[in-house]
Amino acid sequence: MNKEQLTDQLLLVLSDTPKPLNISQILKELDANSNGIESSNIEEILVELSENKLVSKNSKGKYKLFDNSTDVYEGYYNYKRGHSVVVVIDSENSIFYVENEHSYTALDGDKVLVKLSDIKKGKKYGVVVDIVERKNNEIEGTVEFSGGEYYLKTNPDKYRYDFLIEWHDDLGLLEGKKAKGVLTNWSNPKKPPKVKVKVVNENIEDLRSAFDRIVDEYELNEVFPDKVQKEANKIKDPSETKISKGRKDIRDKFIITVDPADAKDFDDAISLEYDENNNIVLGVHIADVSFYVPENSEIDIEARERGNSTYLVDRVVPMLPEVLSNDICSLKPNIDRNAFSVFMTLDSNYELIHYELHETLINSKKRYSYEEALDAINGGKDENSELMQTLAEISQKLRHKRFENGGINFSSSELRFELNEDRIPIKSNIKSATKSTQMIEEFMLLANRSVTLFVKELSKKAGNMETLPFIYRIHEDPDRAIVNEAFQFIGHLTGNKFKKVSEVRAKDINNILNRFEDTPNSPVINQVLIRSMAKAIYSQKNYGHFGLGFEDYTHFTSPIRRYADLVVHRLLKEYMKSKGKASKSRIDYLKPFTKSVSDHISLTERKSMEAERASNKLAAVIMVRNKVGNEYNGTVTGVINFGLFLILDELNVEGLLHVKDLGNDYYRFDEKNLKFVGKRTKTEFTIGTRLRVKIAKINIGKSQIDFEFIEKL
């Protein structure tokens, strides 16, 4: 600390202390031992300050700031962006520059007393010595939790400090929210200023802007460039144009769509017929996006960059302009639409024996929601109930055969939020697989597999040495060591012992899933095994799909929302037209192109998944913002070194229970077995443990829910 800095610190000490101080007291206030300050240094500075009439010494050898009323001025303290001045109330409106550390407890706009401390280059420098009148006791900011305390985080351009909030039981409700606080008595600048929260503004726009942050954070673009939108607006509705050359007119066929109730973009439709041998002919009809979006058009370039649509809780960020995704391409009922259809023939054993691809013109006769379709499947009153039951039966046969042939029977569920009229989450539901969702899933899987087999077979017929360039959806074999660790954990969880495997087989995984299917541990076991799998990605090389049990698989059925499918459509059409013959120059172009696109859309898919998870987390916090203090039962879903993650039964939301809040014991983290063990009580907390907890606090800004331990169930 140089002499100038030491002088400033000494003046600050004297300005903060109403009583005179001797040398020893000054050294103590300056923490002289820690800062290496000698008493001789202080004595030298005090002599200079006394000579300049900034400090006075009394008969007892104690020092205080020079008290001369002619050197104390009344004025208004102004603070902005880290700089402070006092505008003196005199005829000249003199300005005193004030260092922040010499500002005492002044806030912007306060009437203060300022003492002249120095004059440098014609500028007057002062020290605020008292507050005459507060301008406004009301402070605005956002409630935040840090270091065990709640603070009102303020605009740093307006305030030098964040304000400590005086405790009350409802603080957990306020975290992350805009609030107003009333300043309590603040006379010691060494302690943080305190406020009492007075008003909390739950502005709907503030909640909606929290969702906007997800869009910004993940760099999702809701607006299409003008050149893209203009190109899209020029596209004509197929119902108003003549059927294109080579397109098969199947508008007379009975075709239906089955989608979520709130869906707007209808990618796929289905139909059922029988051939002359009474074999099943299953039709899957997909929106023909590639007809409207040529390669390297403005729409195509933008769609490629986006990679896919992103489905957030409160909005969809589409891959294509809405005039295409929700209208012209969407397979709406009772309207002519261009489609790309695959007709798959199944024998009496539900084996795929033939497939054909056609560009078609369809007219969907009915739109079903999943709930309506399920009702018809279950015998509800519906004019097409017999058809729906037959379709469901076919899909269940296909599903059973897929698992027999190596597909893994993971249970699937999806968290969905109900929104109010302001698009704010008010309720959550777990949507589990039903016969209607499984029906569409199996038909789409079969279509995706069929078109991949088509390219493979066409390549061979054309005499190509290798399969034509293509984009595959691959899921590589899992790491054996990771799967064995999962088996070991499940064994510990269930009190069973599973042998280590030298080769990971779908059969072994299915055996475990089936064994514990109807037990309380089933959801946990399902998640543990899913996490042990590799991630499915896109690739120009065909490595098969381990999870589905398919050697050949792609994505064909969702070109409105996935760029992979759009490219696959184009390639299929190109190869159909050329009968599998492609020039060397075209092959040389497509090989690096399919690799580049596969790599890129694998990344955009991952980004969208992360954004969707972040959106769900935020929605959960917003949904429970008024439930702080309520108790719920829940299940531990994750264990990390500082606590437990739980999902609450009733609300379907996840939060953290910190290890320090587990109770009257010291808990050791067993990383290998993912559990905490009490040193004294030997109580264990692991994945699947049932607990009763209280929602202790929430943070909308950080999308966090924190729990307080009540008891182990």
Side-chain angles (χ1 to χ4, degrees), residues 429-471:
N429 297 294
I430 296 292
K431 297 288 187 181
S432 298
T434 66
K435 284 186 178 181
S436 60
T437 62
Q438 290 172 352
M439 177 178 74
I440 296 302
E441 178 186 22
E442 291 303 324
F443 295 163
M444 298 306 116
L445 292 178
L446 187 62
N448 288 334
R449 177 171 167 248
S450 296
V451 300
T452 316
L453 290 170
F454 172 82
V455 171
K456 192 175 183 178
E457 183 179 319
L458 188 64
S459 299
K460 287 180 181 178
K461 283 183 179 179
N464 297 318
M465 296 294 291
E466 55 185 22
T467 303
L468 292 161
F470 205 54
I471 290 178

Side-chain angles (χ1 to χ4, degrees), residues 107 137-140 143 150-154 159 162-168 171 179-186 192-198:
L107 298 175
N137 284 351
E138 210 169 64
I139 314 295
E140 293 186 358
V143 178
Y150 284 92
Y151 289 87
L152 192 64
K153 189 170 182 61
T154 55
Y159 296 103
D162 290 333
F163 294 78
L164 181 65
I165 300 176
E166 292 190 355
W167 178 262
H168 61 82
L171 274 179
K180 292 182 180 180
V182 176
L183 182 70
T184 60
N185 183 38
W186 183 35
K194 286 187 177 182
V195 291
K196 287 183 178 179
V197 173
K198 180 184 178 184

Side-chain angles (χ1 to χ4, degrees), residues 60 189 251 259 267-268 295 303 370 383 395 405 425 488 509 530 539 549 628 695 709:
K60 295 182 179 180
R251 286 176 288 181
D259 293 279
D267 275 298
D268 54 86
E295 186 175 358
Y370 281 126
E383 58 185 347
S395 69
N405 294 335
Q488 183 181 7
I509 296 171
I530 288 175
S539 175
V628 174
I695 298 179
F709 178 70

Side-chain angles (χ1 to χ4, degrees), residues 22 182 270 396 407 413 452 552 579 593 608 626-627 694:
N22 60 31
V182 176
I270 58 174
Q396 290 302 311
S413 61
T452 316
D552 306 284
K579 297 182 179 179
F593 174 77
S608 289
N626 297 319
K627 301 183 187 298
K694 177 194 291 186

Side-chain angles (χ1 to χ4, degrees), residues 5 11 405 467 606:
Q5 291 171 328
L11 287 170
N405 294 335
T467 303
R606 179 61 57 85

Side-chain angles (χ1 to χ4, degrees), residues 469-476 536-543 553-554 564 594-599 601-602:
F470 205 54
I471 290 178
Y472 300 92
R473 181 65 168 179
I474 66 167
H475 184 222
E476 296 188 78
I537 60 171
Y538 295 101
S539 175
Q540 82 286 2
K541 294 183 178 180
N542 185 10
Y543 294 110
Y553 190 67
T554 190
T594 51
K595 181 184 187 310
S596 173
V597 169
S598 296
D599 292 344
I601 60 181
S602 292

Side-chain angles (χ1 to χ4, degrees), residues 418-606:
E418 291 183 22
L419 310 180
N420 64 14
E421 63 276 8
D422 294 312
R423 309 291 294 168
I424 302 302
I426 55 174
K427 187 179 179 182
S428 65
N429 297 294
I430 296 292
K431 297 288 187 181
S432 298
T434 66
K435 284 186 178 181
S436 60
T437 62
Q438 290 172 352
M439 177 178 74
I440 296 302
E441 178 186 22
E442 291 303 324
F443 295 163
M444 298 306 116
L445 292 178
L446 187 62
N448 288 334
R449 177 171 167 248
S450 296
V451 300
T452 316
L453 290 170
F454 172 82
V455 171
K456 192 175 183 178
E457 183 179 319
L458 188 64
S459 299
K460 287 180 181 178
K461 283 183 179 179
N464 297 318
M465 296 294 291
E466 55 185 22
T467 303
L468 292 161
F470 205 54
I471 290 178
Y472 300 92
R473 181 65 168 179
I474 66 167
H475 184 222
E476 296 188 78
D477 291 1
D479 184 285
R480 183 183 62 192
I482 295 175
V483 172
N484 278 324
E485 284 181 8
F487 285 178
Q488 183 181 7
F489 173 79
I490 293 167
H492 177 79
L493 178 68
T494 61
N496 293 273
K497 191 171 184 179
F498 298 102
K499 292 181 180 179
K500 288 187 177 181
V501 296
S502 57
E503 178 187 0
V504 180
R505 301 181 305 171
K507 180 180 178 181
D508 298 322
I509 296 171
N510 279 333
N511 284 341
I512 292 177
L513 290 169
N514 294 335
R515 181 173 175 179
F516 299 102
E517 184 176 7
D518 296 319
T519 69
N521 287 323
S522 179
V524 173
I525 292 171
N526 194 75
Q527 284 303 310
V528 168
L529 289 173
I530 288 175
R531 290 170 186 169
S532 73
M533 297 290 105
K535 302 297 182 187
I537 60 171
Y538 295 101
S539 175
Q540 82 286 2
K541 294 183 178 180
N542 185 10
Y543 294 110
H545 199 293
F546 179 82
L548 295 175
F550 293 157
E551 291 183 6
D552 306 284
Y553 190 67
T554 190
H555 272 169
F556 164 80
T557 55
S558 297
I560 288 178
R561 61 185 178 90
R562 294 189 306 227
Y563 190 71
D565 306 51
L566 177 54
V567 174
V568 164
H569 278 220
R570 287 202 193 110
L571 293 175
L572 287 168
K573 289 182 181 182
E574 179 178 340
Y575 298 154
M576 288 165 63
K577 186 176 181 180
S578 68
K579 297 182 179 179
K581 298 288 186 181
S583 67
K584 183 179 182 302
S585 61
R586 183 61 175 164
I587 296 290
D588 289 344
Y589 167 77
L590 286 175
K591 280 185 175 180
F593 174 77
T594 51
K595 181 184 187 310
S596 173
V597 169
S598 296
D599 292 344
H600 173 67
I601 60 181
S602 292
L603 293 175
T604 60
E605 178 188 44
R606 179 61 57 85

